[in-house]
Amino acid sequence: MKPQQLVLAIACLATFAASSPAGGQEQRKPTSQCQAIAENVPNVTFASFSNDAPLTPAVSEGEDVKFTFLGHSTFEIESPGGIVIATDYNGWYRPATMPDVVTMNKAHPTHYTLTPDPAIKHVLHGWSDVPGEKADVDLVVGDAYIRNVPTDIRFSYGLGGSQENGNSIFIFEIAGLCIGHLGHLHYELTDAHYSEIGRLDVVMVPVDGGLTMGADSMSRVIKRLRSSLILPMHRRGPPVEAFVSMFGKDFDVANAPDDSITVSMRTLPKKPLIYVLKGVQ
């Protein structure tokens, strides 16, 4: 073997060894695309894909994601590949077709059900049934990747106190979009929360003005997230205008003619838009 050939062979072997698992260890799994902006933040642990799931969501030919407001905090999210997700699913507000995935939070019974239809393949709780532990959702279904960021909640019905990690912000990564559902958010988010969340292009936000957080506190969360499309939900008591009034000229506001909107990375608003779907007003 000529010296040039020997050098090339050694280089190839070194490259192969560097790219192969050492000592039988698994290769590093991919991290969330929506968390990429936070990768340089110290002391942040990123979600990883579970061993029994595909490493990446399926690639779909389409790019449009459809959001339909069903009621209260329940949205139907339909991916380009036909995966149907229902958020804060309580069994009362149901998509027209059987959802593939439902997410739940337990601040109130209107945000979950313990008796979902057995035909629903993936029922995701935003809380852990093991005391002291966090819910850990890390799931690929078709062309959707779903994860969660746990947050604390107050005990309901005037009991006082709070429950650590009793709620979850669910994040759906579909067709390049980073989509967040804030659930029954009771406290303003910390820097660590924002780092775990990463980028959110679309966010579903409760605007009840007090059952979750006051309009001023919730508006600070939304301004910090800097999402392109803001979809209000969970309106009880004050009108949506009480929430909208917290935003200035940097945000557009529009009332939708119906209960759904279809968006893609290409059609996201250039200026942040608070879009009030029919049924929320």
Side-chain angles (χ1 to χ4, degrees), residues 227-251:
S227 303
S228 297
L229 180 62
I230 299 105
L231 301 177
M233 63 176 185
H234 199 266
R235 188 202 67 78
R236 282 194 171 181
V240 177
E241 286 71 23
F243 170 75
V244 170
S245 67
M246 298 291 164
F247 298 86
K249 62 182 180 180
D250 292 334
F251 289 76

Short mmCIF file of all heavy atoms in Angstrom, two decimals, residues 227-251:
data_model
loop_
_atom_site.label_atom_id
_atom_site.label_comp_id
_atom_site.label_asym_id
_atom_site.label_seq_id
_atom_site.Cartn_x
_atom_site.Cartn_y
_atom_site.Cartn_z
N SER A 227 -44.51 34.68 19.77
CA SER A 227 -45.10 33.81 18.75
C SER A 227 -45.70 34.64 17.62
O SER A 227 -46.12 35.78 17.83
CB SER A 227 -46.18 32.92 19.37
OG SER A 227 -45.66 32.17 20.45
N SER A 228 -45.76 34.03 16.44
CA SER A 228 -46.33 34.72 15.28
C SER A 228 -47.86 34.72 15.32
O SER A 228 -48.50 35.68 14.90
CB SER A 228 -45.86 34.06 13.99
OG SER A 228 -44.47 34.17 13.84
N LEU A 229 -48.44 33.61 15.80
CA LEU A 229 -49.89 33.47 15.82
C LEU A 229 -50.34 33.10 17.22
O LEU A 229 -49.90 32.08 17.78
CB LEU A 229 -50.32 32.38 14.82
CG LEU A 229 -51.82 32.11 14.71
CD1 LEU A 229 -52.56 33.35 14.20
CD2 LEU A 229 -52.08 30.92 13.77
N ILE A 230 -51.22 33.93 17.80
CA ILE A 230 -51.73 33.72 19.16
C ILE A 230 -53.20 33.40 19.07
O ILE A 230 -53.99 34.21 18.55
CB ILE A 230 -51.49 34.98 20.04
CG1 ILE A 230 -49.99 35.28 20.15
CG2 ILE A 230 -52.11 34.78 21.42
CD1 ILE A 230 -49.54 36.44 19.33
N LEU A 231 -53.60 32.23 19.57
CA LEU A 231 -54.99 31.79 19.52
C LEU A 231 -55.56 31.78 20.94
O LEU A 231 -55.25 30.89 21.74
CB LEU A 231 -55.07 30.39 18.91
CG LEU A 231 -54.52 30.23 17.48
CD1 LEU A 231 -54.60 28.77 17.05
CD2 LEU A 231 -55.28 31.13 16.50
N PRO A 232 -56.41 32.76 21.29
CA PRO A 232 -57.02 32.77 22.62
C PRO A 232 -57.95 31.58 22.82
O PRO A 232 -58.52 31.02 21.87
CB PRO A 232 -57.81 34.09 22.63
CG PRO A 232 -57.14 34.95 21.61
CD PRO A 232 -56.72 33.99 20.54
N MET A 233 -58.11 31.18 24.09
CA MET A 233 -58.99 30.08 24.46
C MET A 233 -59.38 30.30 25.92
O MET A 233 -58.99 31.28 26.56
CB MET A 233 -58.28 28.73 24.30
CG MET A 233 -57.08 28.57 25.21
SD MET A 233 -56.31 26.94 25.12
CE MET A 233 -55.06 27.08 26.40
N HIS A 234 -60.18 29.39 26.48
CA HIS A 234 -60.49 29.38 27.92
C HIS A 234 -60.96 30.75 28.39
O HIS A 234 -60.45 31.32 29.34
CB HIS A 234 -59.24 28.94 28.71
CG HIS A 234 -59.56 28.47 30.11
ND1 HIS A 234 -59.50 29.31 31.20
CD2 HIS A 234 -59.89 27.25 30.58
CE1 HIS A 234 -59.80 28.63 32.30
NE2 HIS A 234 -60.05 27.37 31.95
N ARG A 235 -61.98 31.28 27.70
CA ARG A 235 -62.53 32.57 28.10
C ARG A 235 -63.75 32.36 28.97
O ARG A 235 -64.75 31.77 28.56
CB ARG A 235 -62.92 33.40 26.87
CG ARG A 235 -63.32 34.83 27.24
CD ARG A 235 -64.18 35.46 26.18
NE ARG A 235 -65.48 34.82 26.06
CZ ARG A 235 -66.50 35.03 26.89
NH1 ARG A 235 -66.36 35.85 27.93
NH2 ARG A 235 -67.65 34.42 26.71
N ARG A 236 -63.65 32.83 30.20
CA ARG A 236 -64.80 32.82 31.12
C ARG A 236 -64.80 34.13 31.87
O ARG A 236 -63.77 34.51 32.45
CB ARG A 236 -64.70 31.65 32.10
CG ARG A 236 -65.11 30.32 31.48
CD ARG A 236 -65.34 29.26 32.54
NE ARG A 236 -65.92 28.06 31.99
CZ ARG A 236 -66.23 26.99 32.72
NH1 ARG A 236 -66.03 26.99 34.02
NH2 ARG A 236 -66.76 25.92 32.15
N GLY A 237 -65.92 34.80 31.89
CA GLY A 237 -65.99 36.07 32.59
C GLY A 237 -65.69 37.23 31.68
O GLY A 237 -66.52 37.62 30.86
N PRO A 238 -64.48 37.81 31.80
CA PRO A 238 -64.19 39.02 31.02
C PRO A 238 -64.11 38.72 29.53
O PRO A 238 -63.76 37.61 29.13
CB PRO A 238 -62.81 39.46 31.55
CG PRO A 238 -62.20 38.19 32.09
CD PRO A 238 -63.35 37.40 32.65
N PRO A 239 -64.45 39.70 28.69
CA PRO A 239 -64.34 39.50 27.24
C PRO A 239 -62.89 39.38 26.82
O PRO A 239 -61.97 39.77 27.56
CB PRO A 239 -65.01 40.75 26.67
CG PRO A 239 -64.83 41.79 27.74
CD PRO A 239 -64.92 41.04 29.05
N VAL A 240 -62.67 38.88 25.62
CA VAL A 240 -61.31 38.73 25.10
C VAL A 240 -60.61 40.08 25.04
O VAL A 240 -59.39 40.18 25.17
CB VAL A 240 -61.35 38.08 23.71
CG1 VAL A 240 -59.94 37.98 23.12
CG2 VAL A 240 -61.97 36.69 23.79
N GLU A 241 -61.39 41.16 24.88
CA GLU A 241 -60.80 42.50 24.78
C GLU A 241 -59.97 42.86 26.01
O GLU A 241 -59.02 43.65 25.90
CB GLU A 241 -61.91 43.55 24.57
CG GLU A 241 -62.50 43.56 23.17
CD GLU A 241 -63.37 42.33 22.89
OE1 GLU A 241 -63.86 41.71 23.87
OE2 GLU A 241 -63.54 41.98 21.71
N ALA A 242 -60.31 42.31 27.17
CA ALA A 242 -59.53 42.60 28.38
C ALA A 242 -58.10 42.08 28.24
O ALA A 242 -57.15 42.69 28.74
CB ALA A 242 -60.20 41.97 29.60
N PHE A 243 -57.95 40.96 27.55
CA PHE A 243 -56.62 40.41 27.28
C PHE A 243 -55.95 41.19 26.15
O PHE A 243 -54.79 41.59 26.25
CB PHE A 243 -56.75 38.94 26.91
CG PHE A 243 -55.50 38.30 26.39
CD1 PHE A 243 -54.45 37.97 27.23
CD2 PHE A 243 -55.38 38.00 25.03
CE1 PHE A 243 -53.30 37.38 26.74
CE2 PHE A 243 -54.24 37.40 24.53
CZ PHE A 243 -53.19 37.09 25.39
N VAL A 244 -56.69 41.44 25.09
CA VAL A 244 -56.14 42.11 23.92
C VAL A 244 -55.65 43.52 24.25
O VAL A 244 -54.67 44.00 23.69
CB VAL A 244 -57.19 42.15 22.79
CG1 VAL A 244 -56.73 43.04 21.64
CG2 VAL A 244 -57.49 40.74 22.30
N SER A 245 -56.32 44.17 25.21
CA SER A 245 -55.98 45.55 25.55
C SER A 245 -54.57 45.67 26.14
O SER A 245 -54.03 46.78 26.25
CB SER A 245 -57.00 46.12 26.53
OG SER A 245 -56.93 45.44 27.78
N MET A 246 -53.97 44.54 26.53
CA MET A 246 -52.64 44.56 27.11
C MET A 246 -51.54 44.68 26.05
O MET A 246 -50.36 44.81 26.38
CB MET A 246 -52.41 43.29 27.94
CG MET A 246 -53.36 43.13 29.11
SD MET A 246 -53.02 44.37 30.38
CE MET A 246 -54.54 44.27 31.35
N PHE A 247 -51.92 44.63 24.80
CA PHE A 247 -50.94 44.63 23.71
C PHE A 247 -51.02 45.94 22.94
O PHE A 247 -52.09 46.50 22.75
CB PHE A 247 -51.17 43.44 22.78
CG PHE A 247 -51.02 42.11 23.46
CD1 PHE A 247 -52.09 41.53 24.13
CD2 PHE A 247 -49.79 41.45 23.46
CE1 PHE A 247 -51.95 40.31 24.77
CE2 PHE A 247 -49.64 40.23 24.10
CZ PHE A 247 -50.73 39.66 24.76
N GLY A 248 -49.88 46.37 22.48
CA GLY A 248 -49.82 47.62 21.74
C GLY A 248 -49.73 47.43 20.25
O GLY A 248 -50.17 46.41 19.70
N LYS A 249 -49.12 48.40 19.59
CA LYS A 249 -49.07 48.42 18.13
C LYS A 249 -48.18 47.34 17.54
O LYS A 249 -48.19 47.12 16.31
CB LYS A 249 -48.58 49.79 17.66
CG LYS A 249 -47.18 50.14 18.15
CD LYS A 249 -46.78 51.53 17.69
CE LYS A 249 -45.38 51.88 18.18
NZ LYS A 249 -44.97 53.24 17.74
N ASP A 250 -47.42 46.65 18.36
CA ASP A 250 -46.56 45.58 17.85
C ASP A 250 -47.34 44.31 17.55
O ASP A 250 -46.77 43.34 17.01
CB ASP A 250 -45.45 45.27 18.85
CG ASP A 250 -44.45 46.41 19.00
OD1 ASP A 250 -44.32 47.19 18.03
OD2 ASP A 250 -43.83 46.53 20.07
N PHE A 251 -48.62 44.27 17.90
CA PHE A 251 -49.47 43.11 17.67
C PHE A 251 -50.69 43.51 16.85
O PHE A 251 -51.31 44.54 17.10
CB PHE A 251 -49.95 42.51 19.00
CG PHE A 251 -48.87 41.81 19.79
CD1 PHE A 251 -47.93 42.53 20.50
CD2 PHE A 251 -48.81 40.42 19.83
CE1 PHE A 251 -46.94 41.90 21.24
CE2 PHE A 251 -47.82 39.78 20.56
CZ PHE A 251 -46.88 40.52 21.26
#
